[in-house]
Amino acid sequence: MSNDGVHHFPGEEIDVYWDERLCIHIGECVRAKGELFVPGRDPWCDPDVTERERVREIVERCPSGALSYVDKTGGPESAPGENAAVVVYNGPLYCHGELALEGAGEVPEHAGTSRRVALCRCGASANKPFCDNSHREADFEDYGAVGEQGRGTFAADGPLAVRPLPDGPLELEGNLVIRAASARVAWRGDKAYLCRCGASANKPFCDGSHQRVGFKGD
């Protein structure tokens, strides 16, 4: 493990990386059939026991971007055809697409957060703007319904800028759909301001409550 919390699992055809700082233990990796990820094994990830394409597919399931890969014989991870923000029931915001996450420092080219990321909605994360599961202890409650429809857009791909505004909401700029927790496409547009203080009465959208509650976050 390097000093920055990133674990490297080398393979002959593909290397896998796990950033423990981003992991929220959803379990898409260890529940996948096969022996790519086996809890208790040393190493717990072995890219050489699974076909290269299967390794890619499993790693790309990780919603937080904690898992990523470098394919030595193929191309990099492709951006999903849809930029989406998924409002998780009582949980974070899953964003996927061609992401440009600002304020997260330098990230390697293969980083999962350029395609997939879990962002805090409760305001309590110690790793803002990322989720660290603090919503559980904070008793954050939002069932993921989305009431607004947005102004519409003819596309849902292309670059999506994700900007955590200082002491304020998330600004998402670019073609985007917002999916309710029910998986329904609820909103379409090219700019949205989403609550990350946990106090908005119009979740997932910001309503200015961060000023009232004194939210602090870079």
Side-chain angles (χ1 to χ4, degrees):
M1 182 182 75
S2 64
N3 291 332
D4 59 4
V6 179
H7 302 249
H8 178 208
F9 303 96
E12 291 189 9
E13 295 185 326
I14 189 168
D15 292 352
V16 174
Y17 294 83
W18 173 56
D19 189 335
E20 64 180 38
R21 300 164 302 176
L22 301 177
C23 185
I24 53 175
H25 305 288
I26 297 300
E28 287 280 13
C29 53
V30 296
R31 292 195 177 192
K33 290 186 177 180
E35 297 186 348
L36 174 59
F37 295 96
V38 177
R41 184 182 64 191
D42 187 17
W44 73 289
C45 174
D46 186 350
D48 288 336
V49 300
T50 305
E51 294 181 355
R52 177 177 57 86
E53 287 298 326
R54 175 72 171 158
V55 173
R56 291 175 62 122
E57 189 271 327
I58 293 174
V59 167
E60 290 176 16
R61 296 179 187 181
C62 175
S64 69
L67 290 174
S68 59
Y69 60 77
V70 171
D71 190 334
K72 302 173 184 178
T73 62
E77 179 179 345
S78 299
E82 175 189 77
N83 293 327
V86 182
V87 185
V88 177
Y89 182 102
N90 288 346
L93 189 77
Y94 290 160
C95 285
H96 66 248
E98 189 178 337
L99 307 179
L101 178 61
E102 300 185 8
E106 296 253 349
V107 295
E109 185 177 351
H110 65 81
T113 51
S114 66
R115 299 289 183 255
R116 300 164 276 112
V117 69
L119 300 172
C120 175
R121 290 204 300 135
C122 71
S125 174
N127 191 31
K128 297 181 183 70
F130 306 106
C131 172
D132 68 356
N133 281 332
S134 290
H135 52 273
R136 297 174 180 174
E137 294 184 5
D139 293 325
F140 175 70
E141 184 176 285
D142 178 65
Y143 296 160
V146 180
E148 298 185 19
Q149 293 182 306
R151 58 189 179 186
T153 180
F154 292 103
D157 59 355
L160 179 66
V162 181
R163 303 184 184 100
L165 300 183
D167 302 336
L170 285 167
E171 180 186 71
L172 275 61
E173 185 172 15
N175 294 329
L176 171 70
V177 300
I178 297 177
R179 291 183 175 269
S182 63
R184 175 180 65 90
V185 174
W187 186 98
R188 292 180 181 272
D190 55 15
K191 182 174 281 190
Y193 293 89
L194 303 183
C195 174
R196 65 186 185 116
C197 73
S200 174
N202 189 33
K203 299 181 184 70
F205 303 100
C206 173
D207 68 356
S209 290
H210 55 275
Q211 297 176 337
R212 173 176 56 83
V213 301
F215 173 71
K216 297 296 181 183
D218 295 333

